[in-house]
């Protein structure tokens, strides 16, 4: 059966990895900005990123992702069962930060790491992804919190009722934040993120070239 993405979320249904992650939290006591940050993290997973501390813990279990793919359903489902390690400013929850890594075959390369930050400014969440090699470009996007998160719900409500327009949120973050940074990091390692002969794994190119 096809695994649902966050963009498939409706009032009636939500993807399994969304339900798995939010079960780890008392969602009714989190601020809307905190909940939105967790959704941003899930979109990062769908775009081929992984929490740095979870990568160190499970790198031998996770399936490697070729440069020209981003989404691996088994990885996303597996990682969403674990709480990501992140910092946030308490009690007002106005700042969030976590370390990510591109999930790639090149296990040891330091140029695949980045820092995801989210800063609350009024009714907006400013999301920035900054590669840890300082010579690479970071990307940002500004998210109106109330556009995506419905507040004042109780824990008895289905998870899917907390959210709206997650398809638009996914497209915005994928196109403005996660994919540009991922592509630049892979290009820095001379890995092609686009479907082409040069982007195929080496073992396949060896077969093609005889």
């Amino acid at each position: 059966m096809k695994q649902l993405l966050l963009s498939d979320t409706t009032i009636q249904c939500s993807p399994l990895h969304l339900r798995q992650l939010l079960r780890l939290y008392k969602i009714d006591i989190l601020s809307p900005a905190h909940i939105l940050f967790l959704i941003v993290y899930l979109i990062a997973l769908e775009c081929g990123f992984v929490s740095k501390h979870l990568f160190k813990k499970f790198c031998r279990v996770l399936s490697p992702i070729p440069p020209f793919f981003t989404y691996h359903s088994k990885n996303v489902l597996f990682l969403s069962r674990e709480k990501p390690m992140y910092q946030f400013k308490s009690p007002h929850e106005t700042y969030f930060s976590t370390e990510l890594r591109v999930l790639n075959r090149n296990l040891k390369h330091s140029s695949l790491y980045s820092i995801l930050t989210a800063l609350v400014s009024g009714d907006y969440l400013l999301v920035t992804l900054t590669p840890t090699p300082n010579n690479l470009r970071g990307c940002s996007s500004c998210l109106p919190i109330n556009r995506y998160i419905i507040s004042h719900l109780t824990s008895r409500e289905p998870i899917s009722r907390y959210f709206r327009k997650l398809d638009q949120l996914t497209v915005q973050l994928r196109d403005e934040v996660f994919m540009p940074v991922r592509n630049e990091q892979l290009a820095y390692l001379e890995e092609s993120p686009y479907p082409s002969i040069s982007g195929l794994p080496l073992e396949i190119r060896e077969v093609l070239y005889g």
Side-chain angles (χ1 to χ4, degrees):
M1 185 176 71
K2 178 185 176 183
Q3 176 64 40
L4 295 178
L5 301 172
L6 285 176
S7 58
D8 298 315
T9 303
T10 66
I11 293 178
Q12 291 78 27
C13 69
S14 57
L16 179 57
H17 55 289
L18 173 62
R19 301 195 304 272
Q20 286 184 160
L21 181 67
L22 295 186
R23 283 194 198 109
L24 304 175
Y25 299 86
K26 294 181 179 179
I27 190 172
D28 55 319
I29 66 173
L30 298 182
S31 69
H34 200 150
I35 296 172
L36 183 55
F37 176 74
L38 293 175
I39 298 303
V40 171
Y41 167 73
L42 283 177
I43 294 173
L45 295 186
E46 290 187 354
C47 291
F49 288 83
V50 59
S51 166
K52 179 180 177 179
H53 91 276
L54 292 181
F55 177 79
K56 290 182 176 180
K57 187 176 180 180
F58 299 117
C59 64
R60 301 302 175 186
V61 177
L62 299 170
S63 299
I65 302 178
F68 46 88
F69 287 129
T70 58
Y71 179 70
H72 193 294
S73 61
K74 291 183 179 179
N75 287 344
V76 173
L77 288 175
F78 180 82
L79 293 167
S80 64
R81 298 189 189 106
E82 302 280 339
K83 274 189 175 183
M85 184 180 294
Y86 59 95
Q87 299 175 337
F88 66 95
K89 187 176 182 181
S90 181
H92 302 296
E93 300 188 353
T94 56
Y95 176 83
F96 307 85
S97 177
T98 189
E99 294 182 274
L100 300 179
R101 187 194 193 281
V102 173
L103 192 53
N104 183 262
R105 294 188 301 269
N106 199 335
L107 295 181
K108 297 182 180 180
H109 208 289
S110 61
S111 296
L112 294 173
Y113 290 98
S114 57
I115 298 176
L116 176 68
T117 59
L119 177 66
V120 178
S121 178
D123 296 328
Y124 293 86
L125 188 70
L126 179 61
V127 175
T128 301
L129 186 62
T130 307
T132 50
N134 294 328
N135 57 322
L136 298 182
R137 178 176 58 93
C139 294
S140 299
S141 188
C142 190
L143 310 175
I145 299 171
N146 293 333
R147 178 179 177 84
Y148 305 111
I149 306 299
I150 302 173
S151 56
H152 309 302
L153 295 178
T154 68
S155 58
R156 296 188 297 273
E157 297 282 352
I159 288 296
S160 57
R161 294 187 64 86
Y162 280 83
F163 310 105
R164 58 189 169 199
K165 304 182 188 299
L166 292 192
D167 54 339
Q168 297 177 17
L169 176 63
T170 298
V171 170
Q172 180 175 340
L173 288 176
R174 183 187 64 209
D175 293 351
E176 295 182 3
V177 177
F178 293 116
M179 295 313 298
V181 170
R182 180 180 185 271
N183 289 347
E184 187 159 337
Q185 288 178 303
L186 292 174
Y188 181 80
L189 297 178
E190 298 183 350
E191 297 262 11
S192 174
Y194 304 104
S196 66
I197 293 295
S198 61
L200 292 174
L202 177 61
E203 55 270 23
I204 296 180
R205 279 183 281 158
E206 288 177 347
V207 172
L208 291 176
Y209 295 145

